[in-house]
């Protein structure tokens, strides 16, 4: 029992030493970045240039000094070296605009670290990437370019995780599809945290509506003003200066308000209180009238049947 107790104490000490080593490594990275910031502030020098990428022209003083430090200091390269040693990794992407309305994409890599002798799953944040084209192809081009700069092989990607946006997870034109076209082993998983966040936001926005009648009343405004709402969204998509707002407005006008299934659901919700009396057919007729008024075919999409070829034995 005494031997087991000593072994347990040694294991705790070893774990504590590993944690201290990890903290010390990130403290060293932070100290170097702070030293660069203090130097530039002291001499009143500009931080950023027209380019925000390492080892490229016109990236100005901050990134230039980081490049110089890297030549003499391997600490700043350590997390990339760990990823290269692990070989296989997963990518996690998310987009959000900064204060200047420039769309930024975060790049995080998840990998298995065996450098310490024990298996440990790690995540490394590699930076913010500028995005000017938020289509699936545009986002993928930014990702592919950054991986080339980091000298990481896209064929070693074994997983990919994004939010619920069609430009990210889309099976036909999203980043998921673009990556799978090159590497079919890059298994996609939807971001559960992002889905939970959306759920909590919706709950917060609707928590004041305690009765179903209140929900019905809020939907009626869309039901009887849907044409005006669509025109307003298209106007916003055309004239707004914010790329994200333009994209969201266009998506709502084209994909949601231009979808017969949505209109059918809208009519169904609007008159749900009277559903038992009027029945499903009456709701269907209302949805058809709205669809015809908006020049939308009143048809549900048909699922394609996969033809199976029978081969003789």
């Amino acid at each position: 029992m005494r031997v087991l107790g000593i072994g347990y104490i040694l294991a705790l000490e070893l774990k504590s030493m590993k944690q201290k080593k990890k903290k010390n490594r990130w403290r060293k990275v932070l100290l170097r970045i702070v030293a660069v910031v203090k130097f530039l502030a002291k001499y009143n020098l500009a931080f950023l240039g027209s380019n925000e990428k390492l080892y490229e022209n016109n990236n100005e003083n901050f990134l230039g000094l980081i490049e110089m430090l890297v030549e003499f200091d391997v600490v700043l390269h350590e997390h990339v070296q760990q990823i290269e040693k692990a070989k296989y990794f997963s990518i996690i992407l998310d987009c959000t605009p900064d204060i200047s309305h420039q769309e930024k994409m975060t790049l995080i890599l998840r990998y298995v670290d065996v450098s310490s002798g024990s298996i440990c799953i790690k995540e490394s944040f590699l930076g913010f990437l500028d995005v000017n084209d938020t289509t699936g192809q545009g986002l993928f081009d930014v990702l592919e370019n950054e991986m080339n700069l980091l000298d990481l092989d896209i064929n070693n990607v074994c997983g990919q995780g994004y939010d619920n946006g069609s430009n990210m997870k889309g099976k036909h034109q999203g980043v998921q599809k673009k990556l799978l076209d090159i590497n079919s082993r890059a298994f996609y998983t939807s971001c559960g945290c992002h889905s939970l966040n959306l759920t909590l936001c919706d709950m917060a926005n609707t928590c004041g509506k305690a009765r179903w009648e209140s929900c019905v009343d809020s939907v009626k405004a869309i039901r009887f003003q849907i044409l005006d709402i669509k025109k307003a969204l298209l106007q916003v998509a055309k004239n707004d200066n914010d790329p994200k707002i333009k994209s969201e407005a266009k998506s709502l006008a084209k994909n949601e308000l231009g979808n017969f299934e949505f209109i059918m659901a809208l009519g169904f919700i609007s008159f749900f209180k009277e559903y038992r009396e009027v029945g499903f057919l009456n709701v269907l007729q209302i949805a058809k009238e709205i669809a015809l008024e908006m020049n939308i075919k009143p048809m549900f999409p048909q699922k394609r049947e996969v033809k199976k070829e029978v081969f003789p034995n």
Side-chain angles (χ1 to χ4, degrees):
M1 291 296 292
R2 185 176 181 183
V3 173
L4 290 175
I6 294 173
Y8 178 70
I9 293 173
L10 290 175
L12 290 177
E13 288 292 333
L14 181 60
K15 183 178 180 180
S16 177
M17 289 174 62
K18 289 180 179 178
Q19 291 175 343
K20 289 180 180 178
K21 184 178 179 181
K22 183 178 179 180
K23 289 181 179 179
N24 288 333
R25 178 169 66 86
W26 286 110
R27 185 178 290 111
K28 290 177 181 178
V29 173
L30 182 60
L31 286 173
R32 285 155 176 77
I33 294 175
V34 170
V36 172
V37 172
K38 289 172 66 178
F39 175 82
L40 294 175
K42 180 179 179 180
Y43 294 99
N44 197 27
L45 297 174
F47 278 66
L48 302 178
S50 58
N51 193 326
E52 298 182 22
K53 292 184 179 294
L54 286 167
Y55 304 107
E56 292 190 7
N57 295 329
N58 302 318
N59 59 8
E60 292 300 333
N61 300 315
F62 178 76
L63 295 180
L65 287 172
I66 294 295
E67 291 172 2
M68 182 192 69
L69 286 175
V70 167
E71 294 184 13
F72 305 98
D73 190 352
V74 297
V75 173
L76 297 177
H77 268 319
E78 188 170 323
H79 61 294
V80 175
Q81 292 174 346
Q82 287 178 353
I83 296 169
E84 290 176 345
K85 289 179 181 178
K87 186 175 180 179
Y88 298 107
F89 56 91
S90 298
I91 60 173
I92 304 172
L93 304 177
D94 193 16
C95 287
T96 186
D98 61 16
I99 193 171
S100 64
H101 301 291
Q102 169 65 52
E103 195 74 15
K104 297 283 188 179
M105 182 167 71
T106 57
L107 173 60
I108 299 173
L109 300 189
R110 185 179 176 91
Y111 57 96
V112 178
D113 179 25
V114 295
S115 60
S116 61
S118 59
I119 298 175
C120 180
I121 298 175
K122 290 188 176 182
E123 290 184 359
S124 291
F125 168 70
L126 298 187
F128 292 102
L129 311 179
D130 284 344
V131 174
N132 297 316
D133 180 2
T134 57
T135 64
Q137 185 64 57
L139 294 170
F140 177 75
D141 289 343
V142 173
L143 169 64
E144 187 176 32
N145 180 65
E146 187 65 19
M147 292 189 68
N148 289 333
L149 291 174
L150 294 172
D151 198 25
L152 296 173
D153 191 348
I154 201 168
N155 289 302
N156 289 334
V157 177
C158 61
Q160 47 179 327
Y162 317 125
D163 59 27
N164 297 318
S166 59
N167 55 353
M168 284 289 194
K169 72 169 187 177
K171 296 181 179 179
H172 304 291
Q173 299 295 331
V175 177
Q176 175 195 180
K177 180 61 166 60
K178 304 297 180 183
L179 183 51
L180 287 173
D181 287 342
I182 298 176
N183 178 1
S184 61
R185 300 183 300 276
F187 182 76
Y188 167 73
T189 303
S190 180
C191 178
C193 293
H194 189 270
S195 299
L196 177 59
N197 182 63
L198 292 177
T199 302
L200 293 174
C201 288
D202 288 341
M203 290 172 62
N205 291 332
T206 59
C207 63
K209 299 176 182 179
R211 299 179 302 164
W212 173 250
E213 289 81 359
S214 300
C215 297
V216 172
D217 290 338
S218 65
V219 175
K220 281 184 179 180
I222 302 177
R223 158 65 181 89
F224 293 105
Q225 302 178 61
I226 190 168
L227 277 174
D228 293 332
I229 292 173
K230 184 174 182 180
K231 289 178 182 178
L233 287 170
L234 290 174
Q235 192 73 14
V236 171
K238 182 180 179 181
N239 299 324
D240 199 276
N241 295 324
D242 190 324
K244 184 178 181 182
I245 293 176
K246 291 179 67 172
S247 176
E248 290 178 348
K250 184 178 180 181
S251 177
L252 285 171
K254 297 289 187 181
N255 299 331
E256 300 296 340
L257 299 186
N259 184 285
F260 182 65
E261 287 184 275
F262 174 79
I263 296 173
M264 174 62 191
L266 186 64
F268 184 77
I269 294 172
S270 299
F271 299 97
F272 187 81
K273 290 190 297 182
E274 303 174 8
Y275 175 72
R276 291 182 179 178
E277 289 74 26
V278 300
F280 177 81
L281 294 177
N282 195 6
V283 175
L284 180 62
Q285 182 60 35
I286 294 171
K288 286 182 178 180
E289 292 173 1
I290 299 174
L292 292 173
E293 186 180 1
M294 299 181 66
N295 295 320
I296 299 172
K297 292 183 179 180
M299 297 174 59
F300 294 109
Q302 299 293 325
K303 294 184 178 180
R304 292 179 295 179
E305 294 184 2
V306 180
K307 295 182 179 180
K308 296 182 180 180
E309 297 184 0
V310 180
F311 296 95
N313 294 329

